[in-house]
Amino acid sequence: NAEYRQIYSQTNMALAGTILAKTDLTDTEKEQASTLIQQAVREGKAAVALDGRNPIYWTNLATIYRQLVGTIEGAADWSFQAYSQAIVLDPNNPNLKLDFGGLLYAAGMYEDASRIFEQVVTLKPDLANGWYNLAYAEKKLNKLGLAVNHLNQAVSLVPTDSGDYDKATKELADWKEEYEKLVKQQQAEVEKAKEVAETDAQKNELG
């Protein structure tokens, strides 16, 4: 039963997470956590093997691998592959693409993450997290003007009485200030280039 395998994989990951959250783990606890993680991966794979056309099971496997990024070599690549397969099976799921984009962003693949987040906001324009993550990816790509616009869009979708609104509003103010400084700097560079060009032209005329 694929659903049973999925649930069992999640249970194993939850138990492993509880153990690993402790400080000063004993060797026995480390071994228990390792066994639980192995079982989670095995059961996640089993669910996919039993029903490989169901994106839920691919997403579950992708999530398991994602939790192992940084602890098991190759986990990020396996998570990428599982997310990609889930998206092939469920291409219009914005939340699935949002998670995948987050994984790409965490891996420093900002261009790819930006493209995925663009798909997210196209599928669900009222999803604040989609605009927020898109803005952050664009900022990493030095597209500050776009980042400001899209962060502003995210702020407009967040409830004003939430902590997220306060956080995003402050970030937006900081980004706007940074962008204004950048624009002024670029304008100054343009003016300086003009002056140099005019000076060179005058020298040529005199020469």
Side-chain angles (χ1 to χ4, degrees):
N1 186 299
E3 184 178 3
Y4 167 79
R5 299 282 189 169
Q6 178 204 12
I7 293 170
Y8 189 42
S9 70
Q10 293 174 349
T11 302
N12 278 279
M13 283 303 293
L15 291 171
T18 299
I19 293 173
L20 294 174
K22 298 178 182 179
T23 56
D24 300 325
L25 293 177
T26 64
D27 290 340
T28 300
E29 288 173 328
K30 290 177 182 178
E31 186 175 340
Q32 288 175 340
S34 177
T35 300
L36 288 166
I37 289 171
Q38 291 174 26
Q39 289 176 178
V41 172
R42 184 186 67 231
E43 297 303 316
K45 286 181 175 180
V48 166
L50 287 166
D51 189 0
R53 300 299 300 170
N54 192 326
I56 291 175
Y57 301 133
W58 283 104
T59 303
N60 177 62
L61 185 59
T63 303
I64 290 171
Y65 283 134
R66 183 175 183 172
Q67 294 176 70
L68 301 176
V69 172
T71 59
I72 295 180
E73 187 176 353
D77 290 337
W78 297 330
S79 188
F80 292 150
Q81 293 169 15
Y83 269 122
S84 297
Q85 186 59 39
I87 288 171
V88 168
L89 296 169
D90 191 7
N92 296 319
N93 186 330
N95 292 317
L96 176 57
K97 290 191 174 185
L98 186 70
D99 288 343
F100 184 39
L103 180 65
L104 292 168
Y105 183 93
M109 301 168 67
Y110 304 122
E111 193 74 50
D112 293 328
S114 177
R115 282 196 294 268
I116 293 296
F117 291 140
E118 285 176 355
Q119 294 174 25
V120 171
V121 297
T122 298
L123 288 168
K124 191 170 177 56
D126 61 345
L127 184 60
N129 278 346
W131 292 105
Y132 185 84
N133 290 1
L134 175 58
Y136 260 86
E138 289 167 339
K139 192 169 189 294
K140 286 290 187 179
L141 293 168
N142 296 318
K143 300 177 180 178
L144 192 52
L146 281 174
V148 168
N149 288 336
H150 291 150
L151 183 57
N152 188 61
Q153 182 67 25
V155 169
S156 71
L157 294 168
V158 177
T160 56
D161 59 349
S162 69
D164 288 339
Y165 179 83
D166 295 337
K167 178 178 181 292
T169 300
K170 183 181 183 306
E171 288 172 335
L172 180 58
D174 292 341
W175 289 18
K176 282 182 175 179
E177 183 179 349
E178 184 180 345
Y179 182 58
E180 288 169 1
K181 289 180 180 178
L182 178 63
V183 169
K184 288 179 181 178
Q185 179 183 341
Q186 291 174 340
Q187 288 174 342
E189 289 174 354
V190 169
E191 290 299 321
K192 185 176 180 180
K194 282 183 180 180
E195 291 176 4
V196 171
E198 289 173 358
T199 301
D200 289 343
Q202 290 173 357
K203 287 180 179 178
N204 290 335
E205 289 176 3
L206 292 172

